Amino acid sequence: MQTTSPFIRREISDVEPWAETCGQIRPLLEENDQAAAEVHHLEITDARLHYHERTDEVYYILGGKGRMTLDDSEIEVHEGVVVYVPRGMKHRAWGDLKVLVVCIPPGVLHDVHEV
């Protein structure tokens, strides 16, 4: 029988960022952690329009300001704003944004469909 830790503690400085559809990503909780959700720290300047078939996302803007396209709508975002993006919704963000994204269920990096 394999024993697992009852919690995960990870510091942002311990995660090397890499470029993906939305910008620079640091997966703080990822699919391999087998948690109920993934949590990513993103630095967004100009994300590409995309959607997810199986994943809902919650964006919490940690800093900066910018805009988001959500299907046919465009909204302003800034520090302190939360945006829920349900699966299937085409979306992108741009500006100078630092964002915490919670992805439910895990597996979002295998569920990115660029438009």
Side-chain angles (χ1 to χ4, degrees):
M1 183 167 106
Q2 182 179 1
T3 304
T4 59
S5 174
F7 65 89
I8 297 169
R9 181 190 184 280
R10 189 165 289 139
E11 292 193 30
I12 192 170
S13 60
D14 293 337
V15 180
E16 192 68 33
W18 50 277
E20 58 88 48
T21 299
C22 286
Q24 291 292 310
I25 183 173
R26 283 184 170 93
L28 302 176
L29 285 178
E30 52 191 331
E31 186 176 14
N32 291 342
D33 291 323
Q34 299 181 347
E38 287 184 50
V39 178
H40 300 160
H41 180 275
L42 291 169
E43 294 181 22
I44 301 172
T45 56
D46 192 14
R48 295 187 294 273
L49 188 65
H50 65 285
Y51 67 94
H52 310 284
E53 289 180 350
R54 302 175 308 275
T55 312
D56 296 335
E57 294 182 310
V58 178
Y59 282 64
Y60 177 66
I61 311 303
L62 298 169
K65 60 182 179 177
R67 301 191 68 75
M68 284 185 81
T69 296
L70 301 154
D71 278 343
D72 295 327
S73 298
E74 187 177 301
I75 62 171
E76 185 178 319
V77 293
H78 53 81
E79 183 177 335
V81 169
V82 172
V83 179
Y84 169 65
V85 182
R87 63 193 72 192
M89 180 171 281
K90 295 174 190 163
H91 59 285
R92 70 180 286 260
W94 67 95
D96 181 17
L97 297 164
K98 289 190 187 210
V99 181
L100 191 69
V101 180
V102 178
C103 311
I104 303 167
V108 70
L109 296 178
H110 304 291
D111 186 29
V112 177
H113 306 277
E114 290 188 20
V115 179

